[in-house]
Amino acid sequence: MTSRDDSGSQLASLSRRRLLRDGTLSAAAIGLLAGAPTLVIPRRSEAASEQDVRILGSALSAEHEAVAAYGVAARSGLLSGPVLDLAVQFRGQHEEHVDLLASTVRSLGGEPAGPRDSYSFPVEELKNRDDVLRFAAELEKGAVSAYLGAVPILGNGELAKAAASILGDEAMHWAVLRYVLGENPVPHAFVS
């Protein structure tokens, strides 16, 4: 069995241009070459329904909202030190989700939605660090539920795997935020 480091160096030795031009380089290989986390995105030749594109478009809109929410949280002045660092890290991860979803929607022939001009966040209710963290935790919990609903109805298996990977990240965000709040980070054996 080849180790991840070995496969990464083997992939790096291949001609990126040839592989990208020929469409034979998977998203996983691109991720290994770039040193980024990997999610497999189907190539244009693989079937994806219009419903799949709509589902991914909805997920993209939610990810734009999460980026904006973490931006508000980071600029609120209510977070500092490691908690502020965490908000910035989570915002960056949501930005990665945006990039992946937008490029996937585009590759499947759809037009990816951009961020809205404004979002209606309850900023007047955010009085302290815990208010901000609870707000973020509720957004993450909603994202978990949304991806949990999306995964089984995506018709393309590769898209479902990508959505499940993002679901896992959202669940980790939710658990970490609950932990920072002093709450049980994993209160149930199943996510619903």
Side-chain angles (χ1 to χ4, degrees):
M1 180 169 200
T2 307
S3 75
R4 184 170 183 201
D5 290 339
D6 289 343
S7 64
S9 63
Q10 290 170 356
L11 286 172
S13 67
L14 298 173
S15 164
R16 288 183 186 185
R17 181 175 291 152
R18 187 192 90 235
L19 290 172
L20 289 170
R21 182 190 69 232
D22 295 343
T24 58
L25 185 61
S26 71
I30 292 168
L32 287 171
L33 287 171
T38 60
L39 292 177
V40 177
I41 305 168
R43 291 182 287 249
R44 289 181 195 267
S45 63
E46 295 177 0
S49 70
E50 287 181 27
Q51 177 181 326
D52 288 350
V53 174
R54 280 193 305 276
I55 291 167
L56 295 177
S58 294
L60 175 59
S61 293
E63 292 293 345
H64 280 302
E65 182 178 19
V67 168
Y70 276 108
V72 167
R75 292 186 305 273
S76 71
L78 299 172
L79 304 179
S80 62
V83 176
L84 176 58
D85 294 343
L86 193 63
V88 171
Q89 177 185 351
F90 287 179
R91 181 174 195 244
Q93 290 172 347
H94 284 286
E95 288 171 337
E96 290 181 48
H97 300 165
V98 164
D99 292 343
L100 175 70
L101 291 168
S103 66
T104 302
V105 166
R106 195 174 297 108
S107 74
L108 296 172
E111 182 61 37
R116 293 191 341 219
D117 292 335
S118 65
Y119 294 91
S120 180
F121 298 132
V123 291
E124 63 283 344
E125 297 174 21
L126 305 178
K127 308 278 188 220
N128 57 48
R129 178 197 87 137
D130 286 0
D131 290 345
V132 173
L133 295 178
R134 278 194 187 85
F135 170 65
E138 284 303 309
L139 285 178
E140 296 291 2
K141 180 180 179 184
V144 168
S145 294
Y147 280 106
L148 189 60
V151 168
I153 61 174
L154 283 163
N156 181 289
E158 294 303 317
L159 295 176
K161 282 193 270 185
S165 180
I166 294 173
L167 179 143
D169 186 59
E170 307 294 9
M172 287 187 284
H173 290 177
W174 181 38
V176 167
L177 290 167
R178 289 180 55 84
Y179 180 79
V180 172
L181 283 163
E183 299 173 3
N184 182 343
V186 186
H188 309 287
F190 301 96
V191 176
S192 59

